Amino acid sequence: MQRNSCGLKIRANSHHFLLVLVLPPAFKAAVLIQQWYRRYVARLEMRRRCTWRIFQSIEYACEQDQIKLHNFFSYLMDHFTPSSSKERDFISRMFISGESFKEAELEKYCDYESMEVPDSYTGPRLSFPLLPDHATALLEAFKQKQQLHARYVLNLLHETRKHLKQLPNISHVSTCYSEEVTVCGDLHGQLDDLFLIFYKNGLPSPSKSYVFNGDFVDRGKQSLEILIILFTFLLIYPKEVHLNRGNHEDHMVNLRYGFTKEVMHKYKAHGKKILKMIQNVFCWLPLATLIDQKVLIIHGGISDTTDLDVLEKIQRNKFISVLRAKKRKESNRNVEIQETNEESKAEADPAGNEAAPSLPPSPQPAQAPSTANRLEFSRWVRQTVQEQIEWCRRLVDISESEEEELTYASMVSLTDLDGPCHTRQEDRKQILDILWSDPMPQEGCIVNTVRGGGCYFGPDVTRKILEKYNLQFLIRSHECKQEGYEFCHNRKVLTIFSASNYYEIGSNRGAYVKLGPDLVPHFVQYQANKAAHTLTMTQRISRVEESAFRALREKLFAHTSALHQRVQGRITLSNWATAVESVLHLGLPWRMLRPQLVRSTADGMLEYKSWLDDLAMEQRSQEHIQTSLLEVIYRNRSNLETIFRIIDRDHSGLISFEEFHQTWKLFSSHMNIELTDDGINDLVRSIDFNKDGNIDFNEFLEAFRCHLQCLDSGEGRQVPGALG
Amino acid sequence: MAEKEGSGEDGTVAEIEEKIIEVFEAFDNEGSKSVDARDIGLIVRTLGCFPTEAELNELLAKVEDEEEPGGYIHLEKFLPVMTKVLLNRSYRPVPEDVLLHAFEVLDENKCGYITKEDLVKYLTEEGEPFTEEEMENMLSVALDPETNTVRYRNYISKLVVDET
């Protein structure tokens, strides 16, 4: 028997029947209402959690994708022997992400002084040294959606770089100079959030210190504006404003996640210069900040090998991109793999990842092409790549420690003048860990396979580092949190995330944290969308949920063929869940999500085939190849887009048909699809490329988006040429 | 997202167990096959049950760790108990008409609405009282701010729509 606060007895296993007999009506009624309501709330909460997990798992799978792609390139680069000079050029271009510059060359290339600003330009005009008025003018201009002239952008970037060069790797902040320090997390191009922070907390000033903990750019649409504002304040108040580098302050990541696109779109002709300068500013950003020698602020996290003394001594500017190739053997080829560095001769930035564990799972054995004589190249590539991937996988199957050895032995190029390669490797790992790691509840330190970079670090790792350097706690960002912040490791690690509504309107709040001399954290939360406030909790959850399921359905659609293979006809919920997980590898609670994704029949079985038909395209037999092709393209559009941008070195948005062809062949051998030249030609024709033999790849990708919308609206035509 | 149990079998014991395990694992952050006792209510309700707080406490008593009550609940203890709950269809749903009738009981004058004060009094003092937060949350949707009353028929239909 239990007693409630009214002192009445309730039978522990009460049924409605018993209630009728024993208790007064108002009491019974109240119990029923409460019972019903609590269940309703629980369901809402469950939906919210599921939605969150969907978004997170898709986001991290995407990051993993990125790393896998980089790994693929790096192995390709090691073992690919081009059969013609054209191929050689093509391949080498894939891995040389841009010319490198000596200091003087950089100045010359990114020169702004000769740029004229027309009288018709009504935006802010900057002069150096900057004054608070310039900052206010910029804020106002950006609120009015104005754009800063390229000349001023470049000028600002030059000055920022000059300033950053003087700073140590670890910034030191003291709370005795300015009473309080405000720490902000990821902003990801969401300018409205930055405005909101300044509105609620005040602008940076001699009495208001700020630390911005990385990931200023990518995903949101106003990354450049955020950079401009942050750099401006950095120059005006150098003692009070501190910036940490995040994993997105990296041009290889920017290629995929939108910042490169944003800059090129906004600045067209001058975009290239701006991007080049930004690369050379990012690498000079400090890696960490220490408050009162007691609170360490880094973007990602730590690992069991993190060493602040080593970090302090690293030449941080050597690492323009922290992602790079892991060479597997001594190269007897003349490809230069080198730290990108404005002082060095040739810049090669083969994408890859230091701490990433290994290659993607083994692809199926390549099938013979259907027309033997026309496919020499692709067959050869398939075989070669296949062999090499097998070889590399065998290498990786050897233990972790041997992997280290191989890496060392295979290290950097002939022209590396900057010291023994193993130190460089260690340095890179130190930075990678700081920028990419995530905390985990279990003790230990394991490789972060979800992200593909950095580690998962446990409370013991945190404890050790706090002890070693006599610190009180860590502040990091890197992970989106529902409430904008979250403690873990027994309140020794604080995650702060400042991009509200990150996944979707209503998905999460943003937050910043203030620390006074007592170093006790005070949080301020916000949500930068008025619309979100007027929605009820249910409506908010529904909205975000809708968005999540749309994304999930897209993923399912993109894997239709694989799903078809796994299951036929009518199946149980159990089999369905297993099948879907085996294809998508998202680790989601599929049984709980089922009602949103597939209908069940009266006897509890799932109509699998009709489900796939709903998801997939109508298939006419002769277009069978094309359909699966489209599927593959759609599934990998992110990768494809990244590859395109790597090839498109002048960021013109155009690549030649030849380059497209080569790319596609390489890519399809990686993805192991059977592909005929005819197949590609048909595809190309039907999407109506051929503007002077060039392909506008934005159009190419757009065609697929339109195609899918067409399907959604039930037109069911699968030939992209149906669209204009 | 109403998951109807259906008039037929709820599935084999194996399928029921799989369902329970999936929900359980969603709350098991550390992969330790255990969840915080405070999450049990969420888990049970997600699986389609409408337990009262008293019933939940009783369930907890069965699955708790004797040495450490109120701490973590382990899957191996929880699974058989919960499987039985689902097989027996314990903690049945409160159907819409029963819910409506409950509101009507509280509406003494039978005028189709309950004043804010009355509802707050009933739900925070009678039955298994709401916390302040629960009351506020309910009111944020149920209350008609102009009249300061809860028109319960509207409220119920709104919530039922949300469920699907």
Side-chain angles (χ1 to χ4, degrees), chain A residues 4 6 34-35 574 590-591, chain B residues 1 18 22 50 125 127-128:
Chain A
N4 75 348
C6 299
Q34 289 149 348
Q35 188 178 0
S574 204
W590 294 107
R591 286 171 193 79
Chain B
M1 202 165 116
E18 273 170 3
E22 199 188 53
F50 284 69
E125 291 175 23
E128 294 180 322

Side-chain angles (χ1 to χ4, degrees), chain A residues 2 4-6 10 12-14 16 25-27 29-40 42-43 45-47 49 53 441-442 536-538 545 572 574 588-592 594-596, chain B residues 1 3 15 18-19 22-23 26-27 29-30 39 42 45-46 48-53 55 57-58 94 98-99 102-103 105-106 122-123 125-130 134 137-138 141 155 159 162-163:
Chain A
Q2 309 274 338
N4 75 348
S5 60
C6 299
I10 318 168
N13 56 346
S14 49
H16 304 159
F27 187 90
V31 171
L32 278 169
I33 295 173
Q34 289 149 348
Q35 188 178 0
W36 187 93
Y37 185 74
R38 283 173 173 135
R39 200 259 174 171
Y40 170 73
R43 288 302 300 271
E45 172 61 19
M46 205 56 217
R47 282 165 67 187
R49 286 193 193 212
R53 285 188 59 173
Q442 304 94 318
T536 63
M537 185 171 56
T538 313
E545 197 182 35
T572 62
S574 204
L588 290 172
W590 294 107
R591 286 171 193 79
M592 279 195 276
R594 198 275 310 158
Q596 299 275 35
Chain B
M1 202 165 116
E3 174 108 324
E15 282 176 356
E18 273 170 3
K19 210 159 74 161
E22 199 188 53
V23 177
F27 289 85
N29 293 325
E30 311 186 7
D39 284 336
L42 268 181
R45 286 169 172 131
T46 299
C49 304
F50 284 69
T52 60
E53 294 296 294
E55 287 165 335
N57 286 333
E58 183 194 59
V94 174
V98 171
L99 183 65
F103 275 103
V105 165
L106 300 182
Y122 282 126
L123 294 180
E125 291 175 23
E126 302 274 346
E128 294 180 322
F130 271 169
E134 283 175 314
N137 280 336
M138 178 187 261
V141 180
Y155 176 56
L159 254 46
D162 282 342
E163 273 276 282

Side-chain angles (χ1 to χ4, degrees), chain A residues 296-499:
Chain A
L296 179 65
I297 311 178
I298 60 265
H299 175 74
I302 53 174
S303 77
D304 52 0
T305 54
T306 295
D307 187 330
L308 294 186
D309 301 312
V310 170
L311 269 170
E312 268 180 342
K313 300 204 189 77
I314 289 178
Q315 290 182 287
R316 68 182 192 270
N317 61 300
K318 298 280 191 238
F319 301 91
I320 289 200
S321 170
V322 194
L323 301 174
R324 66 175 299 270
K326 187 172 5 183
K327 283 206 72 185
R328 294 289 174 180
K329 63 169 191 170
E330 300 251 331
S331 175
N332 50 9
R333 306 177 53 229
N334 216 4
V335 178
E336 293 152 302
I337 312 163
Q338 174 147 332
E339 305 312 320
T340 47
N341 174 350
E342 61 263 38
E343 270 93 35
S344 69
K345 256 242 122 190
E347 179 182 327
D349 194 354
N353 178 353
E354 199 61 29
S358 63
L359 288 172
S362 163
Q364 305 289 328
Q367 298 176 32
S370 49
T371 50
N373 55 343
R374 297 189 62 213
L375 296 172
E376 222 172 25
F377 175 66
S378 72
R379 195 189 323 141
W380 180 85
V381 166
R382 248 201 302 274
Q383 273 174 5
T384 315
V385 168
Q386 191 53 43
E387 276 166 47
Q388 304 312 333
I389 289 182
E390 295 286 346
W391 187 83
C392 295
R393 255 189 314 109
R394 263 179 272 128
L395 279 181
V396 171
D397 285 340
I398 310 169
S399 70
E400 281 288 318
S401 55
E402 280 186 61
E403 201 176 84
E404 276 302 316
E405 238 181 82
L406 283 166
T407 321
Y408 171 36
S410 65
M411 247 310 289
V412 149
S413 76
L414 317 158
T415 55
D416 177 32
L417 304 164
D418 297 296
C421 34
H422 70 273
T423 312
R424 180 69 64 78
Q425 284 288 76
E426 282 170 17
D427 287 355
R428 188 182 285 279
K429 182 177 193 297
Q430 290 282 333
I431 301 182
L432 200 61
D433 289 341
I434 294 278
L435 262 35
W436 284 80
S437 300
D438 291 311
M440 65 174 176
Q442 304 94 318
E443 308 236 313
C445 187
I446 57 179
V447 170
N448 192 328
T449 47
V450 172
R451 300 244 194 206
C455 302
Y456 282 121
F457 62 98
D460 53 331
V461 180
T462 300
R463 256 195 318 270
K464 287 206 193 83
I465 225 189
L466 294 181
E467 248 178 63
K468 182 172 180 189
Y469 298 107
N470 203 9
L471 304 169
Q472 276 183 25
F473 61 97
L474 305 177
I475 300 182
R476 43 90 63 176
S477 303
H478 199 41
E479 280 181 301
C480 182
K481 295 294 176 190
Q482 172 89 0
E483 294 297 320
Y485 72 95
E486 193 175 277
F487 280 106
C488 66
H489 292 187
N490 204 16
R491 291 184 81 89
K492 294 297 182 198
V493 175
L494 168 64
T495 303
I496 188 87
F497 193 84
S498 300

Side-chain angles (χ1 to χ4, degrees), chain B residues 18-35:
Chain B
E18 273 170 3
K19 210 159 74 161
I20 296 173
I21 293 173
E22 199 188 53
V23 177
F24 192 90
E25 282 178 350
F27 289 85
D28 176 12
N29 293 325
E30 311 186 7
S32 55
K33 300 254 187 279
S34 63
V35 300

Side-chain angles (χ1 to χ4, degrees), chain A residues 270-318:
Chain A
H270 299 298
K272 263 177 74 184
K273 286 188 188 179
I274 292 177
L275 283 172
K276 194 71 205 168
M277 267 315 294
I278 288 177
Q279 266 184 43
N280 286 281
V281 170
F282 280 168
C283 64
W284 277 109
L285 285 169
L287 301 171
T289 301
L290 259 180
I291 301 185
D292 289 351
Q293 305 282 19
K294 287 277 164 218
V295 179
L296 179 65
I297 311 178
I298 60 265
H299 175 74
I302 53 174
S303 77
D304 52 0
T305 54
T306 295
D307 187 330
L308 294 186
D309 301 312
V310 170
L311 269 170
E312 268 180 342
K313 300 204 189 77
I314 289 178
Q315 290 182 287
R316 68 182 192 270
N317 61 300
K318 298 280 191 238

Side-chain angles (χ1 to χ4, degrees), chain A residues 234 546 579 693 698:
Chain A
L234 177 71
E546 233 178 80
N698 288 318

